[in-house]
Amino acid sequence: MTIAVGSDHAGVELKRDIISLLHDLQIKCIDYGTEGSESVDYPDYAEKVSEVISAGKIERGILICGTGIGMSIVANKFPGIRASLCNDLFTAKMSRLHNDANILVIGGRIVGKDLAKEIVKTWISTSFEGERHCMRLSKIKQIEDRIAKP
Ligand code: RB5
């Protein structure tokens, strides 16, 4: 599995910790920025990561901003993206089991480094449950198709 990662300035520190965790777990990741602590706009980084996942070029992504809200709003505008803001372990697990989330979003100003690492590990290692949830995901796809602009 390859994971695309991105953050704004409020999430850059936690992103570095997560990249180092992914490295330890021998999971390939591609960093779409930002690099430093200079103030940037989260939509630019959410777009970069969401685009490659929406296009099917990379399977999953992780986005981090201050609260996780901005990244979630942007990511969920892309077709096929199921971005889940998970600042706790239960949500991280359920977002995979029930929602087959393909982007994990974390609030870098909310979650500490150790919890964030556990959230990432849980999210990576939990599989989609399928069954009744498949129908619900296909309803999401139907809505997407219905409201898509020509
Ligand atoms: C940046 O100050 C902050 O607004 C951003 O990281 C995020 O929390 C937005 O939702």
Side-chain angles (χ1 to χ4, degrees), residues 7-11 39-43 64-73 107-110:
S7 75
D8 69 357
H9 55 286
S39 182
V40 292
D41 301 327
Y42 61 81
I64 309 142
C65 61
T67 57
I69 295 170
M71 290 294 197
S72 307
I73 292 171
R109 288 177 175 158
I110 295 179

Side-chain angles (χ1 to χ4, degrees), residues 123-141:
W123 190 76
I124 286 169
S125 61
T126 306
S127 300
F128 179 47
E129 230 170 33
E131 299 174 7
R132 66 190 187 281
H133 304 294
C134 292
M135 175 54 72
R136 293 163 188 169
L137 295 195
S138 63
K139 286 193 175 189
I140 295 174
K141 171 82 172 64

Side-chain angles (χ1 to χ4, degrees), residues 2 17 41 83 88 91 126 134 148-150:
T2 300
D17 294 327
D41 301 327
D88 65 87
T91 314
T126 306
C134 292
K149 304 232 169 27

Side-chain angles (χ1 to χ4, degrees), residues 11 20-21 25 27 33 51 59 72 74 78 95 103 105 126 137-138:
S20 126
L21 169 72
L25 295 173
I27 294 173
E51 217 159 45
E59 197 186 343
S72 307
V74 179
F78 284 76
S95 79
I103 295 187
V105 188
T126 306
L137 295 195
S138 63

